[in-house]
Amino acid sequence: MSAEVLIAVKDLEKTYGDGTVQTPALCGVSFSIQKGEFVAVMGPSGSGKSTLFHILGFLDRHTSGEYRFDGKIFDDYTEEEMAEVRNQKMGFIFQSFNLLPRATVFENVALPLLYSGVRESLWRQKTLAAVEAVGLSHRLGHVSNQLSGGEKQRVAIARALVNDPQVILADEPTGNLDSKSGESVMNILECLNQKDGRTVVLITHETYTAGYAGRIIRLRDGRVESDEKNDLRHGSDGEFKK
């Protein structure tokens, strides 16, 4: 039995601007990602990787081509359905953390549940489980501006996990971290993929972080330069350092 495709893009193009001034960001990008894969999308600044991230996450629309998520064409989703997918099927991790500075760890992680269909009686249980998964149970009542950068990114990962998404989309998740904290964050993502079978799409310009992925797609000037299996993938024992 062949693996199930979660994400598929074909001849994807994105152009910014209108009239006489147009800037192409993606130029005929095609690839698919199967459920359970850990894929890194690499490229220098201006290669189109952030544009691709926003399209994959239903945060922006492509100009032409086709994008299918979980078998359904992007254009067939209503705005309400897109919001539901973003909340319930996708977990986002950003370089800048995007936490509420005066909210506690618990409150930040629980936030997506407020907009989900999950029964309120389950919110605490799911929030505690997500926080425990990233090793921050001892910080539960701390506000986010009391945390280190590495701890903030762990909170962001827990928030991404709380609705049990099909895919985690991480945009330069170690960009604002020191090397030790970055390694810890990458170990968590690798564990989520290898131990839990979670699909992970990592946007990065760093060779080291891309090394955790099982497959690396390289973009340059809005085009796929290469798409190869990563035979030198970092090995972990399915655990991470807390």
Side-chain angles (χ1 to χ4, degrees):
M1 178 182 289
S2 60
E4 192 173 353
V5 173
L6 179 62
I7 288 171
V9 297
K10 183 178 180 181
D11 299 327
L12 202 68
E13 300 198 2
K14 175 65 177 181
T15 302
Y16 292 103
D18 49 33
T20 58
V21 180
Q22 294 189 336
T23 304
L26 295 175
C27 308
V29 171
S30 299
F31 62 83
S32 63
I33 296 174
Q34 297 173 348
K35 291 183 178 179
E37 276 198 277
F38 188 151
V39 178
V41 178
M42 290 192 72
S45 178
S47 62
K49 60 185 187 297
S50 292
T51 297
L52 179 62
F53 174 87
H54 284 87
I55 292 173
L56 295 183
F58 284 20
L59 300 171
D60 197 5
R61 292 180 176 273
H62 51 287
T63 304
S64 64
E66 182 180 281
Y67 171 29
R68 287 179 180 268
F69 178 79
D70 205 16
K72 185 173 179 177
I73 296 176
F74 180 99
D75 293 335
D76 289 343
Y77 284 92
T78 65
E79 291 294 335
E80 292 76 14
E81 288 172 336
M82 287 185 185
E84 184 177 319
V85 168
R86 287 192 296 266
N87 177 259
Q88 299 180 21
K89 295 186 177 183
M90 298 177 174
F92 295 92
I93 305 169
F94 299 96
Q95 179 177 344
S96 57
F97 317 129
N98 288 1
L99 301 179
L100 299 175
R102 294 180 179 82
T104 65
V105 168
F106 182 93
E107 291 166 340
N108 269 290
V109 174
L111 189 62
L113 295 170
L114 300 177
Y115 308 99
S116 73
V118 177
R119 296 198 312 273
E120 189 171 353
S121 60
L122 297 177
W123 289 2
R124 181 171 179 80
Q125 173 188 335
K126 290 179 70 68
T127 301
L128 293 178
V131 173
E132 183 179 358
V134 299
L136 279 181
S137 296
H138 62 296
R139 290 281 195 259
L140 204 62
H142 287 66
V143 297
S144 63
N145 59 13
Q146 295 176 321
L147 305 177
S148 68
E151 288 173 331
K152 287 178 180 177
Q153 197 58 293
R154 289 192 188 199
V155 174
I157 293 173
R159 181 184 58 193
L161 288 174
V162 75
N163 270 332
D164 193 29
Q166 289 182 279
V167 58
I168 295 174
L169 298 168
D171 187 9
E172 304 280 6
T174 62
N176 284 332
L177 305 179
D178 59 51
S179 58
K180 184 177 180 180
S181 297
E183 182 180 359
S184 177
V185 164
M186 292 309 303
N187 283 339
I188 294 174
L189 291 177
E190 183 179 50
C191 180
L192 291 170
N193 173 250
Q194 292 191 349
K195 189 176 180 181
D196 297 346
R198 193 84 57 173
T199 306
V200 179
V201 179
L202 169 70
I203 305 296
T204 184
H205 69 277
E206 299 172 328
T207 301
Y208 176 73
T209 54
Y212 283 83
R215 177 177 156 208
I216 300 175
I217 298 172
R218 287 182 170 85
L219 296 183
R220 182 173 294 276
D221 298 328
R223 293 178 170 84
V224 174
E225 185 177 54
S226 64
D227 182 350
E228 300 173 339
K229 182 179 179 181
N230 179 23
D231 294 324
L232 300 177
R233 182 175 185 178
H234 285 291
S236 79
D237 55 7
E239 302 295 336
F240 57 86
K241 298 175 184 177
K242 293 187 178 181

